[in-house]
Amino acid sequence: MKCTICIGSSCHLKGSRQIVEQLQYLVKENHLEDKVELGGTFCMGNCVNGVNVTLDDKLYSLSPETTKDFFDKEILAKVQ
Ligand code: FES
């Protein structure tokens, strides 16, 4: 599964960096390195809803506070 986080300037201001760091940590902690591919992308043209994250082409709107939840529900629950 491929998870792409927007690191454009607007999303960056809303905490995309923390989100990337959290996801990297969670992926590692759960030993999902070979199942989940994390990546970054520049502005997705949807700044108002940022931080924008896509998971296999499905768009999600995250904040650092909702990242753990997103990981548990959308990633962890689906790869196991
Ligand atoms: S900066 Fe993320 S959608 Fe524009």
Side-chain angles (χ1 to χ4, degrees):
M1 123 189 320
K2 188 165 165 38
C3 181
T4 308
I5 301 104
C6 178
I7 51 165
S9 49
S10 170
C11 289
H12 180 80
L13 288 175
K14 293 182 187 165
S16 65
R17 218 191 115 153
Q18 283 113 283
I19 294 177
V20 173
E21 282 169 2
Q22 280 190 54
L23 288 174
Q24 279 170 340
Y25 174 82
L26 290 164
V27 165
K28 234 178 150 181
E29 193 186 51
N30 291 282
H31 309 292
L32 299 176
E33 288 97 332
D34 52 342
K35 299 215 172 97
V36 182
E37 187 190 336
L38 291 175
T41 181
F42 292 112
C43 184
M44 294 178 181
N46 191 25
C47 304
V48 272
N49 294 319
V51 176
N52 291 295
V53 174
T54 57
L55 193 61
D56 290 339
D57 296 327
K58 209 172 152 208
L59 185 66
Y60 296 87
S61 169
L62 298 191
S63 71
E65 291 72 37
T66 59
T67 300
K68 174 84 171 67
D69 242 34
F70 164 80
F71 179 83
D72 288 347
K73 282 198 198 110
E74 305 298 336
I75 298 181
L76 199 55
K78 287 176 189 170
V79 289
Q80 283 177 342

